[in-house]
Structures are given as C-alpha cells and as structure tokens.
Amino acid sequence: MLTIRLSSSRKGAKLKINGVSIRIWTLCMVLCCAIPTALVIYYHYFLSHWSLLRPGAGHFSSTNFLGFNDREAKLAERVREVEEHNQILRRQLTLFRNQLMNIADDAHHQRQLKNQHLPQGAELINDADKINDTHHHADSSKNGQPSVKDNSSVPKCPDGSSDSLSSKCEIIHVAIVCAGYNSSRSVVTLIKSILFYRKNPLHFHFITDSTAQPILKTLFETWVVPGVNVDFYLTDNLQQDVSWIPNKHYSGVYGLMKLVLPKALPAYLDKVIVLDTDVTFATDILELWKIFSLMKDKPLGLVENQSDWYLGKIWKNYRPWPALGRGFNTGVILMSLTNLRKFNWSQVWKMIAEKELLSMLSTSLADQDIFNTVIKHHPFLIYKLPCQWNVQLSEHTLSERLCFTEAQDLKIIHWNSPKKLKVKNKHLEFFRNLYLTFLEYDGNLLRRELIGCANITRTIADRLIFGQSNAPYSDLDEEDICYEFRRARVTKYRTHLYYVDYSYEPDPEGNDVTLIAQLSVDRLQMVESLCKHWEGPVSLALYMSDSEVQQFFTYITNSPVLRDRRNIGFHIVYKEGDSYPINHLRNIALRQVKTPFVFLTDVDFLPMFGLYTYLKRSILTMDLSNNPKRALIIPAFETQRYRIDFPKSKADLIKMLDLGTLFTFRYHVWTIGHAPTDYQRWRTATTPYRIQWERDFEPYIVVSKDVVDYDVRFVGFGWNKVSHIMELHAQDYQFIVLPNAFVIHMPHAPSFGIAKFRSSAVYRRCLNVIKSEFVSDLSHKYSRDFSNVLDNNILS
C-alpha cells in the first residue's frame, strides 16, 4: 500500500513516499517515460532506413522492420488477431451453456403464460405426468444406486469405492458411423464437444469406409487425448447387410449402418451411445450414459421426432413409413446391445423392412424409417428420452414448441438437415455460434485433461502424460538454450489428413508426379496462383490453428480455381509450440502421395506452364522407374516484382534474365545454394546434363516417392532442404538438370523464421549445433566424412 508522509528536519520539510525520497521517485518517473520514448524514436528510425538496407527494396512502397509491406503487415496482424481470438473461445463455451438454459427458461415461461388460459384439469394432467415420471425414475433404482447387469467393463476407482454408473472411472462407449472426407471433418467438431465436457474415459467405435478410417486413425494417434481409446470397423464387411435397401437419403448406404451395429460391435460390449456426426454436445456425456439405468430391459432409447414428418403433414399426398405417433429421431440412440441381440434384432428388422419395401419401394430417411417401423410393430422396444437430448434443427422442426417449452436445458443440438448450418430457425444464430465455437476451439487444449483411474488400459496419450518410458519430453533438458529445437523434434502434431474432398487416380503409364509443398496461413493466397500453373495432383501440408483452418476452408470453397479441384490433398497439421516444423510438414505431404514420383518444391514458386506434362515425359525419357536414385533438377529463378509477364518459354525467360527482370534464385544473397545447377550451361543446354553435389546445395527436384524423409530436427529457417539433398548425395543419388524446365520464386514478406534467424544470436547458435549433430549422424550412418560442410556459416 502506498503511504505518503511528511517529515521535517533542520534543513526543512521533505516529502517522502514509503520512506523513499521524492527526488528518487521523480528520477524513476523520468526513466519510465524516457524508455518508451527512445523505443519509438528507434522504431521510427529503423523503419525509415530498413528499405535501404535490404536487397531489392526499391520494388516496395513501404515496409516495416520485418520487411513486410503494408498489405502483408495487415495479413500478419490478422494472424495475430486470430490467435488472440482462439484464446477466448473456452470462455465463450461457458457463456453458451448459460444461454442455452436461458432459451429453455424463456420458452418454459411462455408455456406457463399459455397454461394460464387452459382449463385447470389440463394443468393437473401435466403435473400428474411429471409425478408419474418421477415415480418411474425412482423405481428404476434400488437404494439410490442404478441396477446394472454387467459391471465387468467398469474399473474400480483409485479410492477403492464400489462400481457405479456415476463413477468417474466408468468407460463410456460411443459408436459413430463416419464415411468419406466431409464426415471426417464434421466428426471432429462432435468429438471436441464431447471431450470438452466429459470427465470419464471414453471408447469410440467408428464404423468407417476405407477413406475415413486412415484419416481418423491418424487424427487420434496424433491427438493423444488422455483416457480415449478408438476402434474401427470397416463398412466393406457390413454393406452386404444393407446394400439391398433402396435409399433416397443423402447419406447413401452409410445412412443404414446403424441397423447392423449389434452385429458389427464386439460381443462383449453391453451398451453403447450411438451418435450422428452432425450433433453437438452442450453437457457431460455421462448424464446421457446414466439414463441406461432407467431403461431396464428396453433396448432402445430415442428422442421423439420434432417435426410432422411421420404424421404425413409436411407435403400433400406424401406417405411416410409407419411410425409410433410422431416417430423417433435416430441421431442420438441409447442402444442396449445385449437386449437387442436377445430380441433377435438382425432378423426382425430385415423381415419388417422387406415387407414394407413392397409398398414403400425405398427409404427416405435411411435407418430412421426402418427403426420407426420396427418400433411401430414392437412398441415395448422403446424408451422415450427427454427431448433435450436431441434438439432437432431440420427445415420443418417444431422443437421450439415441442421441446424448448419442456426442457430445463438443452443437452444435444442436432443439425438434421441437408442444409446443416444454413437451415432457417428462430434461434439459428445462437445454435450456429455454439457449433462454430467448438469448430474453432483449440483441440490441443483437450490433451490437458487427466483421467486418473486405475485398471484402465493406457492409451498412447496416457502413457505420454503419465510419464512412461516413451514420454516425448522426459529426456529433454529445459535449461538447454536449444530446448525449443529439441522439443519440436519429438512433438506430436495433431494431424487431419485430406481435410477437403479428394479424388484422383494416377496415370496408368506409371510416370505420374505429385507436387509437394507446405505452408502456413500467411502463404495461403499463393495456393491459387500455384494451381493455375500446375494441373497435376498436389499434396499440401498446412500448419494452422483450429480457427485458421476455418479461414482456409472458407477461402478454398469460395475460390473459383480451387473449389472444383479434386486432385489436391490438403493435410492440416495443427499448431503446437512456437517453432515451425517445416520438415515434418514436408514429410506429412510426402507420405500421402499416390503417384510413383514427386516434385519437391515450395508453395512460393510458380512452375512454368506445362511443367506437369514435361516432367511426366522426362520421367519416361530418363527411365526413373528403373533408376530410382536419379534426381531431376528444375532450375529456380526469382523476381523482385509482384507482377510480371510470366515467361511462356525458356527463350522468354532468358530474355528476362538479360533485361534484369529475372535473376537466378538467391543470386543477391546466397549464390552457393543453387550454383551447382550451372545456370550458364543451362542457358544453351538442349539435353539433360549431370552435375556434382556441392555443400549447401538445395535444388528443387523430382524423385521417386520412396525418397528418404526430411530430417525433422530442422525447424523454421535454415538448412531444412540442404540436409535432405545432402542425404540423397550420401545415398549416391545422381543429380540431373532438365534443360527446358524452370520455376520462378514470387516475392513475399519474409517468414517469421527468417526474422528470428536474423534477430536472434541464440537461434543461429542452436542451428549450428543442430547442423553439427546432423552431419555427425549422417557420417556415422553412411560411413562417410561430411565434416567439411560445416565450414560455411551462411545457412539456407
């Protein structure tokens, strides 16, 4: 606490603040004001002189201290804003839950106002229903504990307490049908909403096709969320059971897969929560799991349909499948597998479906039509779930009238319309914001929730977090000044392969080639230009946060160049830590290639028009299929102008070189990186020519897709390509320059990695340490001496 007192002496009164002379206090205030003033003067001086110091500065109108022009500085600022936005999403989710309850309360209040105008008996009937419902719930348990037939899958808690459905240690089983690229996107948002609220260990059972399975498997293996196990069941083995059913629903044959879950899921599994991919949780899934104790012997728990679909009131002359009353929606199912198997479900549903199809001809709502018809014939199967466990937002929804007025709070939101988030609804904006919040929520935060239960088989995530021998950071020294380099090498980066629909079959001639590149959000605008120059397949690894991914998805879906391209594999690697894992990204893109050859380049290089066709022809000519240790080099050039007339041929390019419009790549700053290409010879060459490897060489090459991975210890700027080419040299690759091929580097703001390299002596020192370690390992691995490459301190 600040106190001010006056003291007097022979020399006169002197003001003191906490015993400190006012003179010292004044001096401190002057210093505090002087420091920021000096920084402003320095910053202004640096800005005014930077453009004179850096190469090619005359081509830019104005730059800041990182070399950004005004437009690029705004883009960088936008990136920082997105990061800040991502930090407040968790707070928003809490607010959304409160708003959910407010919506329900408002609707309930409106219902009470209407009840004031109803006869007294009507209100009494509603109250009696509530009393009966409460009595039913009380009878379903004994001594306050739910009855459970099989507790074998429920582990004991660390405190030794007895097993209970409310135990934080019980494993909750969830089954989801997920097929295709689009479903793998939407399922991630569902999983985030479950993980955000859950406190129990989870076991997901995915019924997937051959497209979605590797995507989801990679996602969970790299996500490493504690207390989560995942199993997969291929639809290839199940389609024969449902493919005979004509189905008009947009989900196709996969919309019928829930019918075969009792057969597909393991025999030991007693019960499971079945979810559509288009639902979003707003509460702990344990609350839903507890309802199993209320179902007794009933095998199916479902929420009533919240539209007039099965009442036949939506269209004239429309005949729906038979249903009990309004029917039931199958977006959320509590499925007692044991009771369904006892009921002989697999035989019963087929017989009823065959009979109805004689007159109905096809299903309109896939499995939902068949579930409802079976329930119509056997009403004892169903346990009616409270409506808040499946708030349906279809085009014809009556959920506000049928559910909001009864529900205390809304538990699960279901976008059960082909239009999804574009469907019209009074509360659409609120529900949409809830969904988007989970969509953009940083999934890495979900790794931090610890599930401290005994007797649970450890997942990969558990072993990493609980300090097992394979924990990634256990051997790292946090006092090491190069800790960030070390940490990036062992970090598990959450990865979502093929984020966008992909469809491509390689050329049967065996000479097809895929362009490989990586990028962050600040290079996103270059993808469109790249794809105008390259019509062949592309594999891109994008390093982004969850919120940045949504900007990316909006960008490509609105791009006339990209939205219809199906031969581009977009692979998302989610941000983790402060380093840019450039070589890890390249490896991700490289491993997803389906063609026999790859063109290893960077996203800021534009290929010459027709390069894809030329490379395919060159692969045949050079017989790369039978000579896998040949690397074809594409000479690289650069311009310092944002707009140029792109050369249409080698002759045009040479003219531009002579005029000074183009330069050989890095001619002004680091010639040695591409000097071995021998540009002087290339100018007159008409046939491919072989060159010798030299230290610091980093060309752009075409090689077999089985090429060795990039070394992931190199992150950010410096030696990331040099090290890869050096290892190819160690493996005795031949380097052959193509005479009629070229790529041109387009100018852009320098990366943050370059800025860090230029400004940080520690960064440069650590990079030299990593270089030395790599060269030592390479020399040992191939029994060759590469120590002479360390003489050069200029890094690529």
Side-chain angles (χ1 to χ4, degrees):
M1 180 177 178
L2 184 67
T3 59
I4 303 177
R5 62 188 177 88
L6 288 172
S7 63
S8 61
S9 66
R10 295 178 186 177
K11 296 180 180 179
K14 181 167 60 177
L15 181 65
K16 288 192 174 184
I17 301 177
N18 284 345
V20 180
S21 171
I22 191 64
R23 298 170 186 172
I24 299 175
W25 178 260
T26 304
L27 180 60
C28 291
M29 292 294 293
V30 170
L31 288 174
C32 289
C33 295
I35 290 173
T37 303
L39 288 175
V40 170
I41 295 173
Y42 174 79
Y43 179 74
H44 176 75
Y45 175 84
F46 199 80
L47 273 182
S48 61
H49 289 78
W50 177 256
S51 61
L52 299 177
L53 296 175
R54 62 184 186 84
H59 299 291
F60 301 90
S61 58
S62 64
T63 58
N64 64 16
F65 75 100
L66 287 179
F68 291 13
N69 64 24
D70 292 340
R71 179 175 174 273
E72 293 157 345
K74 290 179 181 178
L75 179 60
E77 181 62 27
R78 175 57 182 155
V79 173
R80 287 191 291 271
E81 288 175 0
V82 169
E83 290 300 309
E84 292 173 0
H85 171 70
N86 196 46
Q87 293 174 3
I88 67 173
L89 289 179
R90 189 179 185 92
R91 190 184 313 160
Q92 288 183 359
L93 288 171
T94 303
L95 295 175
F96 278 131
R97 180 168 175 79
N98 294 336
Q99 291 180 41
L100 273 173
M101 298 184 68
N102 291 337
I103 288 176
D105 290 343
D106 290 343
H108 183 64
H109 179 66
Q110 294 296 327
R111 176 64 175 270
Q112 287 181 326
L113 292 176
K114 292 179 181 179
N115 281 342
Q116 293 177 2
H117 304 286
L118 294 176
Q120 185 175 1
E123 279 192 74
L124 291 176
I125 291 174
N126 288 337
D127 291 337
D129 286 344
K130 294 177 184 177
I131 294 172
N132 290 336
D133 187 55
T134 303
H135 179 68
H136 170 71
H137 286 196
D139 288 345
S140 64
S141 61
K142 187 176 182 179
N143 298 325
Q145 295 293 332
S147 59
V148 185
K149 290 187 176 182
D150 183 8
N151 290 329
S152 59
S153 66
V154 184
K156 293 184 180 299
C157 288
D159 59 6
S161 60
S162 60
D163 296 343
S164 166
L165 279 178
S166 61
S167 167
K168 68 177 181 179
C169 295
E170 182 172 10
I171 301 173
I172 297 176
H173 292 268
V174 181
I176 302 171
V177 179
C178 180
Y181 299 101
N182 293 336
S183 291
S184 71
R185 268 200 320 272
S186 59
V187 80
V188 173
T189 307
L190 163 61
I191 299 300
K192 282 185 187 178
S193 69
I194 295 174
L195 293 176
F196 180 82
Y197 293 107
R198 66 97 185 212
K199 297 179 179 63
N200 285 62
L202 300 168
H203 192 144
F204 290 103
H205 303 264
F206 283 102
I207 292 80
T208 66
D209 62 352
S210 56
T211 295
Q213 182 176 2
I215 296 173
L216 294 175
K217 187 175 181 181
T218 300
L219 178 67
F220 279 95
E221 285 178 350
T222 56
W223 202 342
V224 286
V225 182
V228 172
N229 272 303
V230 184
D231 280 323
F232 297 94
Y233 312 84
L234 272 177
T235 56
D236 297 353
N237 307 321
L238 303 171
Q239 286 193 34
Q240 59 183 357
D241 290 330
V242 294
S243 58
W244 55 274
I245 303 173
N247 178 28
K248 294 181 179 179
H249 194 259
Y250 60 85
S251 60
V253 69
Y254 304 108
L256 299 163
M257 286 295 165
K258 281 181 278 188
L259 294 167
V260 299
L261 287 180
K263 174 184 175 181
L265 296 176
Y268 71 81
L269 193 57
D270 174 51
K271 54 184 176 289
V272 66
I273 296 174
V274 185
L275 301 171
D276 279 356
T277 60
D278 55 359
V279 304
T280 306
F281 272 73
T283 192
D284 190 344
I285 194 172
L286 177 62
E287 294 182 38
L288 181 58
W289 185 257
K290 286 180 180 179
I291 298 179
F292 272 115
S293 65
L294 310 177
M295 290 171 57
K296 295 186 177 180
D297 294 330
K298 294 184 180 295
L300 294 172
L302 293 165
V303 172
E304 188 179 54
N305 197 45
Q306 293 166 10
S307 77
D308 289 337
W309 180 274
Y310 287 108
L311 298 180
K313 296 181 179 180
I314 294 182
W315 297 300
K316 290 183 178 180
N317 302 321
Y318 167 68
R319 183 184 168 210
W321 277 60
L324 189 64
R326 287 189 172 277
F328 295 88
N329 184 277
T330 56
V332 178
I333 309 175
L334 292 187
M335 187 176 286
S336 174
L337 299 169
T338 300
N339 290 332
L340 281 176
R341 289 162 183 155
K342 288 180 181 178
F343 175 68
N344 197 18
W345 170 261
S346 297
Q347 296 299 321
V348 172
W349 78 258
K350 288 181 181 178
M351 290 189 297
I352 292 177
E354 287 175 351
K355 179 180 177 182
E356 290 297 331
L357 282 170
L358 293 175
S359 57
M360 299 302 299
L361 302 181
S362 67
T363 63
S364 296
L365 300 181
D367 64 80
Q368 184 168 299
D369 285 339
I370 296 176
F371 269 104
N372 274 288
T373 301
V374 174
I375 292 169
K376 174 75 172 179
H377 284 78
H378 304 282
F380 66 88
L381 295 174
I382 190 68
Y383 176 86
K384 184 179 177 181
L385 295 178
C387 66
Q388 64 262 40
W389 286 108
N390 187 348
V391 179
Q392 300 148 38
L393 299 179
S394 65
E395 294 177 272
H396 306 286
T397 184
L398 301 173
S399 56
E400 184 177 3
R401 177 164 64 87
L402 299 176
C403 186
F404 295 179
T405 57
E406 299 175 4
Q408 293 302 310
D409 59 332
L410 309 182
K411 309 287 189 180
I412 298 178
I413 311 303
H414 185 189
W415 302 90
N416 61 324
S417 166
K419 296 181 179 179
K420 301 305 177 189
L421 271 65
K422 296 180 180 179
V423 70
K424 294 181 179 180
N425 183 280
K426 178 180 179 181
H427 299 291
L428 175 66
E429 193 61 28
F430 165 73
F431 291 126
R432 183 176 178 272
N433 287 339
L434 174 63
Y435 176 87
L436 293 178
T437 299
F438 278 119
L439 187 70
E440 298 184 4
Y441 183 73
D442 185 355
N444 293 327
L445 298 177
L446 299 168
R447 293 172 165 177
R448 302 174 186 176
E449 300 293 332
L450 300 182
I451 306 296
C453 296
N455 301 332
I456 295 180
T457 302
R458 295 293 188 204
T459 62
I460 293 176
D462 297 321
R463 292 195 295 272
L464 297 179
I465 290 174
F466 286 100
Q468 300 298 317
S469 59
N470 63 343
Y473 310 134
S474 59
D475 296 330
L476 300 182
D477 179 9
E478 293 190 19
E479 299 300 322
D480 184 356
I481 63 170
C482 302
Y483 174 77
E484 287 302 321
F485 278 84
R486 314 288 188 195
R487 186 179 187 274
R489 183 179 182 181
V490 297
T491 296
K492 276 277 188 180
Y493 293 96
R494 183 166 50 108
T495 304
H496 190 147
L497 304 176
Y498 295 102
Y499 193 82
V500 179
D501 195 17
Y502 180 84
S503 177
Y504 182 76
E505 289 297 327
D507 192 317
E509 291 189 33
N511 62 335
D512 212 344
V513 57
T514 299
L515 186 149
I516 304 292
Q518 47 70 39
L519 66 148
S520 55
V521 69
D522 56 324
R523 300 284 189 266
L524 186 57
Q525 73 279 4
M526 295 181 174
V527 176
E528 197 172 53
S529 298
L530 172 67
C531 291
K532 289 179 181 178
H533 284 248
W534 178 270
E535 67 273 22
V538 180
S539 183
L540 295 177
L542 302 94
Y543 192 58
M544 297 179 175
S545 67
D546 293 73
S547 56
E548 288 171 348
V549 169
Q550 304 319 309
Q551 296 179 49
F552 147 76
F553 188 67
T554 300
Y555 172 77
I556 62 169
T557 51
N558 291 331
S559 167
V561 176
L562 301 176
R563 65 189 175 201
D564 296 325
R565 285 281 292 264
R566 292 294 175 266
N567 63 347
I568 306 175
F570 292 102
H571 314 297
I572 306 298
V573 178
Y574 290 94
K575 285 184 176 179
E576 176 77 2
D578 297 326
S579 300
Y580 185 79
I582 185 168
N583 278 354
H584 175 74
L585 297 173
R586 286 173 172 145
N587 289 339
I588 291 294
L590 184 58
R591 291 169 192 154
Q592 301 310 311
V593 168
K594 302 182 184 301
T595 59
F597 299 97
V598 291
F599 172 29
L600 305 177
T601 183
D602 284 325
V603 75
D604 47 4
F605 280 83
L606 293 184
M608 73 175 197
F609 291 109
L611 182 61
Y612 172 59
T613 302
Y614 176 75
L615 290 183
K616 289 171 63 177
R617 188 165 61 247
S618 298
I619 288 169
L620 288 178
T621 303
M622 302 301 297
D623 195 19
L624 256 60
S625 297
N626 295 318
N627 295 277
K629 288 193 174 182
R630 285 182 175 176
L632 306 183
I633 295 175
I634 292 83
F637 301 85
E638 68 178 352
T639 178
Q640 294 180 354
R641 300 179 181 180
Y642 279 97
R643 292 186 178 181
I644 63 168
D645 292 328
F646 198 89
K648 296 181 175 59
S649 64
K650 178 179 178 178
D652 287 346
L653 184 142
I654 292 175
K655 289 179 182 178
M656 296 174 75
L657 284 173
D658 293 336
L659 291 172
T661 308
L662 292 180
F663 305 91
T664 57
F665 186 53
R666 294 253 177 128
Y667 172 78
H668 297 87
V669 293
W670 198 49
T671 308
I672 192 173
H674 290 263
T677 300
D678 194 351
Y679 287 101
Q680 195 61 35
R681 182 178 178 182
W682 180 83
R683 292 173 67 107
T684 58
T686 56
T687 58
Y689 58 92
R690 184 174 174 180
I691 59 172
Q692 297 299 314
W693 173 87
E694 297 178 19
R695 70 184 187 188
D696 296 316
F697 191 30
E698 54 165 10
Y700 297 97
I701 60 174
V702 173
V703 288
S704 168
K705 74 170 183 178
D706 299 323
V707 66
V708 65
D709 280 355
Y710 288 83
D711 195 295
V712 296
R713 77 186 88 189
F714 293 99
V715 294
F717 177 79
W719 250 52
N720 46 71
K721 292 191 297 292
V722 169
S723 57
H724 190 243
I725 296 298
M726 188 184 301
E727 186 157 6
L728 296 188
H729 168 64
Q731 294 179 350
D732 296 322
Y733 268 70
Q734 298 176 6
F735 296 99
I736 302 171
V737 180
L738 295 177
N740 295 306
F742 60 85
V743 291
I744 298 179
H745 180 260
M746 302 304 292
H748 55 74
S751 68
F752 291 112
I754 291 179
K756 188 183 294 186
F757 171 79
R758 291 172 177 169
S759 62
S760 172
V762 172
Y763 184 94
R764 294 192 296 272
R765 177 181 172 186
C766 289
L767 195 50
N768 279 324
V769 170
I770 299 298
K771 273 183 61 178
S772 179
E773 292 174 354
F774 168 77
V775 170
S776 176
D777 292 345
L778 196 69
S779 298
H780 177 75
K781 182 177 180 180
Y782 295 100
S783 301
R784 298 173 63 174
D785 183 14
F786 289 98
S787 58
N788 63 322
V789 305
L790 296 174
D791 297 337
N792 195 328
N793 290 323
I794 301 178
L795 301 174
S796 161

